[in-house]
Amino acid sequence: MSALTFLPAVENPELLAAPVAAAIAAMDATTAARIEVAAVDPALADTAAFCEAYGQSLDISANCLVVQGTRGGVTSTAACLALATTRLDVNGAVRRLLDARKATFAPMDDAVAQTGMEYGGITPVGIPSAWRLLLDARVAALPRAIIGAGIRGAKLFLPGVVLASLAGAEVIEDLAKPVA
């Protein structure tokens, strides 16, 4: 098992995608101080591999998924954050929240281009301001969550309340369903 070195995210922008570093730098000092970053092997960035290699729990790991909803030719985009032990309810809760006839995961190239982040590292911190941010209530309730840092070579560690305090964040009960 590899060890993690936790560092203040605001002081280590080299471990963050540029939009993530900018978002953290723009936060009030008290909030920014609650966010830590740790460098990880990019080959182990995927949630299950990361948790196994670094001895972290899937119960506190959250994945950010970019979803697009379409109705009448109008497409809206949302970053959705759900625990790794759950499955995002794209065709139910997310589709309804986006008031969409159809909801799908955004194409990888679109998500990467629009966020300025790496695939497999996309995080809700620093997403485009026009996007909605939907957080499963289980993530918002965590004392300490693990999420992407915008790059595959790092992870952010922060309280769920910090995620819930991000601009435009909407905490949603049952945004995701537990995986059996």
Side-chain angles (χ1 to χ4, degrees), residues 160-176:
V161 295
V162 170
L163 290 165
S165 74
L166 293 174
E170 302 170 53
V171 178
I172 310 294
E173 291 290 333
D174 299 319
L175 184 67

mmCIF file with all atom_site columns, all heavy atoms in Angstrom, residues 160-176:
data_model
loop_
_atom_site.group_PDB
_atom_site.id
_atom_site.type_symbol
_atom_site.label_atom_id
_atom_site.label_alt_id
_atom_site.label_comp_id
_atom_site.label_asym_id
_atom_site.label_entity_id
_atom_site.label_seq_id
_atom_site.pdbx_PDB_ins_code
_atom_site.Cartn_x
_atom_site.Cartn_y
_atom_site.Cartn_z
_atom_site.occupancy
_atom_site.B_iso_or_equiv
_atom_site.pdbx_formal_charge
_atom_site.auth_seq_id
_atom_site.auth_comp_id
_atom_site.auth_asym_id
_atom_site.auth_atom_id
_atom_site.pdbx_PDB_model_num
ATOM 1   N N   . GLY A 1 160 ? -17.575 17.238 3.166  1.00 0.00 ? 160 GLY A N   1
ATOM 2   C CA  . GLY A 1 160 ? -18.747 17.345 2.311  1.00 0.00 ? 160 GLY A CA  1
ATOM 3   C C   . GLY A 1 160 ? -19.412 18.710 2.389  1.00 0.00 ? 160 GLY A C   1
ATOM 4   O O   . GLY A 1 160 ? -19.963 19.194 1.403  1.00 0.00 ? 160 GLY A O   1
ATOM 5   N N   . VAL A 1 161 ? -19.343 19.357 3.561  1.00 0.00 ? 161 VAL A N   1
ATOM 6   C CA  . VAL A 1 161 ? -19.955 20.685 3.695  1.00 0.00 ? 161 VAL A CA  1
ATOM 7   C C   . VAL A 1 161 ? -19.267 21.705 2.792  1.00 0.00 ? 161 VAL A C   1
ATOM 8   O O   . VAL A 1 161 ? -19.905 22.659 2.335  1.00 0.00 ? 161 VAL A O   1
ATOM 9   C CB  . VAL A 1 161 ? -19.996 21.190 5.160  1.00 0.00 ? 161 VAL A CB  1
ATOM 10  C CG1 . VAL A 1 161 ? -20.890 20.314 6.011  1.00 0.00 ? 161 VAL A CG1 1
ATOM 11  C CG2 . VAL A 1 161 ? -18.613 21.303 5.744  1.00 0.00 ? 161 VAL A CG2 1
ATOM 12  N N   . VAL A 1 162 ? -17.983 21.518 2.519  1.00 0.00 ? 162 VAL A N   1
ATOM 13  C CA  . VAL A 1 162 ? -17.282 22.417 1.595  1.00 0.00 ? 162 VAL A CA  1
ATOM 14  C C   . VAL A 1 162 ? -17.831 22.210 0.181  1.00 0.00 ? 162 VAL A C   1
ATOM 15  O O   . VAL A 1 162 ? -18.087 23.171 -0.552 1.00 0.00 ? 162 VAL A O   1
ATOM 16  C CB  . VAL A 1 162 ? -15.757 22.215 1.647  1.00 0.00 ? 162 VAL A CB  1
ATOM 17  C CG1 . VAL A 1 162 ? -15.054 22.963 0.522  1.00 0.00 ? 162 VAL A CG1 1
ATOM 18  C CG2 . VAL A 1 162 ? -15.205 22.651 3.002  1.00 0.00 ? 162 VAL A CG2 1
ATOM 19  N N   . LEU A 1 163 ? -18.057 20.952 -0.195 1.00 0.00 ? 163 LEU A N   1
ATOM 20  C CA  . LEU A 1 163 ? -18.649 20.679 -1.505 1.00 0.00 ? 163 LEU A CA  1
ATOM 21  C C   . LEU A 1 163 ? -20.039 21.305 -1.602 1.00 0.00 ? 163 LEU A C   1
ATOM 22  O O   . LEU A 1 163 ? -20.387 21.910 -2.613 1.00 0.00 ? 163 LEU A O   1
ATOM 23  C CB  . LEU A 1 163 ? -18.722 19.170 -1.754 1.00 0.00 ? 163 LEU A CB  1
ATOM 24  C CG  . LEU A 1 163 ? -17.369 18.496 -1.966 1.00 0.00 ? 163 LEU A CG  1
ATOM 25  C CD1 . LEU A 1 163 ? -17.502 16.986 -1.823 1.00 0.00 ? 163 LEU A CD1 1
ATOM 26  C CD2 . LEU A 1 163 ? -16.803 18.865 -3.324 1.00 0.00 ? 163 LEU A CD2 1
ATOM 27  N N   . ALA A 1 164 ? -20.816 21.162 -0.537 1.00 0.00 ? 164 ALA A N   1
ATOM 28  C CA  . ALA A 1 164 ? -22.176 21.707 -0.536 1.00 0.00 ? 164 ALA A CA  1
ATOM 29  C C   . ALA A 1 164 ? -22.178 23.232 -0.570 1.00 0.00 ? 164 ALA A C   1
ATOM 30  O O   . ALA A 1 164 ? -23.172 23.839 -0.979 1.00 0.00 ? 164 ALA A O   1
ATOM 31  C CB  . ALA A 1 164 ? -22.936 21.201 0.686  1.00 0.00 ? 164 ALA A CB  1
ATOM 32  N N   . SER A 1 165 ? -21.061 23.857 -0.181 1.00 0.00 ? 165 SER A N   1
ATOM 33  C CA  . SER A 1 165 ? -20.980 25.319 -0.173 1.00 0.00 ? 165 SER A CA  1
ATOM 34  C C   . SER A 1 165 ? -20.462 25.894 -1.494 1.00 0.00 ? 165 SER A C   1
ATOM 35  O O   . SER A 1 165 ? -20.415 27.117 -1.649 1.00 0.00 ? 165 SER A O   1
ATOM 36  C CB  . SER A 1 165 ? -20.084 25.796 0.977  1.00 0.00 ? 165 SER A CB  1
ATOM 37  O OG  . SER A 1 165 ? -18.713 25.562 0.679  1.00 0.00 ? 165 SER A OG  1
ATOM 38  N N   . LEU A 1 166 ? -20.087 25.028 -2.448 1.00 0.00 ? 166 LEU A N   1
ATOM 39  C CA  . LEU A 1 166 ? -19.614 25.527 -3.738 1.00 0.00 ? 166 LEU A CA  1
ATOM 40  C C   . LEU A 1 166 ? -20.730 26.300 -4.431 1.00 0.00 ? 166 LEU A C   1
ATOM 41  O O   . LEU A 1 166 ? -21.915 25.980 -4.283 1.00 0.00 ? 166 LEU A O   1
ATOM 42  C CB  . LEU A 1 166 ? -19.152 24.369 -4.631 1.00 0.00 ? 166 LEU A CB  1
ATOM 43  C CG  . LEU A 1 166 ? -17.899 23.618 -4.163 1.00 0.00 ? 166 LEU A CG  1
ATOM 44  C CD1 . LEU A 1 166 ? -17.651 22.401 -5.053 1.00 0.00 ? 166 LEU A CD1 1
ATOM 45  C CD2 . LEU A 1 166 ? -16.683 24.532 -4.148 1.00 0.00 ? 166 LEU A CD2 1
ATOM 46  N N   . ALA A 1 167 ? -20.360 27.299 -5.204 1.00 0.00 ? 167 ALA A N   1
ATOM 47  C CA  . ALA A 1 167 ? -21.337 28.149 -5.886 1.00 0.00 ? 167 ALA A CA  1
ATOM 48  C C   . ALA A 1 167 ? -22.324 27.300 -6.686 1.00 0.00 ? 167 ALA A C   1
ATOM 49  O O   . ALA A 1 167 ? -21.926 26.458 -7.486 1.00 0.00 ? 167 ALA A O   1
ATOM 50  C CB  . ALA A 1 167 ? -20.624 29.127 -6.807 1.00 0.00 ? 167 ALA A CB  1
ATOM 51  N N   . GLY A 1 168 ? -23.601 27.509 -6.423 1.00 0.00 ? 168 GLY A N   1
ATOM 52  C CA  . GLY A 1 168 ? -24.644 26.823 -7.171 1.00 0.00 ? 168 GLY A CA  1
ATOM 53  C C   . GLY A 1 168 ? -24.881 25.372 -6.807 1.00 0.00 ? 168 GLY A C   1
ATOM 54  O O   . GLY A 1 168 ? -25.699 24.709 -7.440 1.00 0.00 ? 168 GLY A O   1
ATOM 55  N N   . ALA A 1 169 ? -24.195 24.863 -5.804 1.00 0.00 ? 169 ALA A N   1
ATOM 56  C CA  . ALA A 1 169 ? -24.354 23.451 -5.434 1.00 0.00 ? 169 ALA A CA  1
ATOM 57  C C   . ALA A 1 169 ? -25.775 23.182 -4.944 1.00 0.00 ? 169 ALA A C   1
ATOM 58  O O   . ALA A 1 169 ? -26.350 23.971 -4.199 1.00 0.00 ? 169 ALA A O   1
ATOM 59  C CB  . ALA A 1 169 ? -23.359 23.058 -4.353 1.00 0.00 ? 169 ALA A CB  1
ATOM 60  N N   . GLU A 1 170 ? -26.334 22.065 -5.417 1.00 0.00 ? 170 GLU A N   1
ATOM 61  C CA  . GLU A 1 170 ? -27.655 21.618 -4.993 1.00 0.00 ? 170 GLU A CA  1
ATOM 62  C C   . GLU A 1 170 ? -27.495 20.240 -4.367 1.00 0.00 ? 170 GLU A C   1
ATOM 63  O O   . GLU A 1 170 ? -27.027 19.317 -5.029 1.00 0.00 ? 170 GLU A O   1
ATOM 64  C CB  . GLU A 1 170 ? -28.596 21.522 -6.198 1.00 0.00 ? 170 GLU A CB  1
ATOM 65  C CG  . GLU A 1 170 ? -28.765 22.824 -6.959 1.00 0.00 ? 170 GLU A CG  1
ATOM 66  C CD  . GLU A 1 170 ? -29.512 22.627 -8.262 1.00 0.00 ? 170 GLU A CD  1
ATOM 67  O OE1 . GLU A 1 170 ? -30.623 22.040 -8.246 1.00 0.00 ? 170 GLU A OE1 1
ATOM 68  O OE2 . GLU A 1 170 ? -28.973 23.046 -9.314 1.00 0.00 ? 170 GLU A OE2 1
ATOM 69  N N   . VAL A 1 171 ? -27.838 20.119 -3.102 1.00 0.00 ? 171 VAL A N   1
ATOM 70  C CA  . VAL A 1 171 ? -27.750 18.839 -2.403 1.00 0.00 ? 171 VAL A CA  1
ATOM 71  C C   . VAL A 1 171 ? -29.064 18.099 -2.625 1.00 0.00 ? 171 VAL A C   1
ATOM 72  O O   . VAL A 1 171 ? -30.136 18.613 -2.272 1.00 0.00 ? 171 VAL A O   1
ATOM 73  C CB  . VAL A 1 171 ? -27.456 19.037 -0.907 1.00 0.00 ? 171 VAL A CB  1
ATOM 74  C CG1 . VAL A 1 171 ? -27.428 17.703 -0.187 1.00 0.00 ? 171 VAL A CG1 1
ATOM 75  C CG2 . VAL A 1 171 ? -26.122 19.775 -0.724 1.00 0.00 ? 171 VAL A CG2 1
ATOM 76  N N   . ILE A 1 172 ? -28.975 16.911 -3.220 1.00 0.00 ? 172 ILE A N   1
ATOM 77  C CA  . ILE A 1 172 ? -30.155 16.161 -3.633 1.00 0.00 ? 172 ILE A CA  1
ATOM 78  C C   . ILE A 1 172 ? -30.195 14.801 -2.935 1.00 0.00 ? 172 ILE A C   1
ATOM 79  O O   . ILE A 1 172 ? -29.245 14.028 -3.026 1.00 0.00 ? 172 ILE A O   1
ATOM 80  C CB  . ILE A 1 172 ? -30.149 15.923 -5.167 1.00 0.00 ? 172 ILE A CB  1
ATOM 81  C CG1 . ILE A 1 172 ? -29.884 17.215 -5.940 1.00 0.00 ? 172 ILE A CG1 1
ATOM 82  C CG2 . ILE A 1 172 ? -31.409 15.203 -5.619 1.00 0.00 ? 172 ILE A CG2 1
ATOM 83  C CD1 . ILE A 1 172 ? -30.947 18.260 -5.832 1.00 0.00 ? 172 ILE A CD1 1
ATOM 84  N N   . GLU A 1 173 ? -31.304 14.517 -2.244 1.00 0.00 ? 173 GLU A N   1
ATOM 85  C CA  . GLU A 1 173 ? -31.509 13.189 -1.659 1.00 0.00 ? 173 GLU A CA  1
ATOM 86  C C   . GLU A 1 173 ? -31.698 12.192 -2.800 1.00 0.00 ? 173 GLU A C   1
ATOM 87  O O   . GLU A 1 173 ? -32.426 12.469 -3.756 1.00 0.00 ? 173 GLU A O   1
ATOM 88  C CB  . GLU A 1 173 ? -32.760 13.168 -0.770 1.00 0.00 ? 173 GLU A CB  1
ATOM 89  C CG  . GLU A 1 173 ? -32.632 13.977 0.507  1.00 0.00 ? 173 GLU A CG  1
ATOM 90  C CD  . GLU A 1 173 ? -31.673 13.386 1.524  1.00 0.00 ? 173 GLU A CD  1
ATOM 91  O OE1 . GLU A 1 173 ? -31.460 12.153 1.534  1.00 0.00 ? 173 GLU A OE1 1
ATOM 92  O OE2 . GLU A 1 173 ? -31.129 14.185 2.297  1.00 0.00 ? 173 GLU A OE2 1
ATOM 93  N N   . ASP A 1 174 ? -31.045 11.061 -2.698 1.00 0.00 ? 174 ASP A N   1
ATOM 94  C CA  . ASP A 1 174 ? -31.212 9.964  -3.651 1.00 0.00 ? 174 ASP A CA  1
ATOM 95  C C   . ASP A 1 174 ? -30.905 10.337 -5.104 1.00 0.00 ? 174 ASP A C   1
ATOM 96  O O   . ASP A 1 174 ? -31.581 9.890  -6.025 1.00 0.00 ? 174 ASP A O   1
ATOM 97  C CB  . ASP A 1 174 ? -32.607 9.343  -3.554 1.00 0.00 ? 174 ASP A CB  1
ATOM 98  C CG  . ASP A 1 174 ? -32.858 8.772  -2.168 1.00 0.00 ? 174 ASP A CG  1
ATOM 99  O OD1 . ASP A 1 174 ? -31.926 8.152  -1.615 1.00 0.00 ? 174 ASP A OD1 1
ATOM 100 O OD2 . ASP A 1 174 ? -33.961 8.945  -1.634 1.00 0.00 ? 174 ASP A OD2 1
ATOM 101 N N   . LEU A 1 175 ? -29.895 11.183 -5.300 1.00 0.00 ? 175 LEU A N   1
ATOM 102 C CA  . LEU A 1 175 ? -29.408 11.469 -6.656 1.00 0.00 ? 175 LEU A CA  1
ATOM 103 C C   . LEU A 1 175 ? -28.809 10.207 -7.241 1.00 0.00 ? 175 LEU A C   1
ATOM 104 O O   . LEU A 1 175 ? -28.778 10.012 -8.442 1.00 0.00 ? 175 LEU A O   1
ATOM 105 C CB  . LEU A 1 175 ? -28.365 12.592 -6.616 1.00 0.00 ? 175 LEU A CB  1
ATOM 106 C CG  . LEU A 1 175 ? -27.837 13.074 -7.955 1.00 0.00 ? 175 LEU A CG  1
ATOM 107 C CD1 . LEU A 1 175 ? -28.948 13.781 -8.753 1.00 0.00 ? 175 LEU A CD1 1
ATOM 108 C CD2 . LEU A 1 175 ? -26.653 14.014 -7.751 1.00 0.00 ? 175 LEU A CD2 1
ATOM 109 N N   . ALA A 1 176 ? -28.334 9.342  -6.344 1.00 0.00 ? 176 ALA A N   1
ATOM 110 C CA  . ALA A 1 176 ? -27.737 8.067  -6.743 1.00 0.00 ? 176 ALA A CA  1
ATOM 111 C C   . ALA A 1 176 ? -28.390 6.955  -5.917 1.00 0.00 ? 176 ALA A C   1
ATOM 112 O O   . ALA A 1 176 ? -28.952 7.210  -4.862 1.00 0.00 ? 176 ALA A O   1
ATOM 113 C CB  . ALA A 1 176 ? -26.234 8.093  -6.512 1.00 0.00 ? 176 ALA A CB  1
#
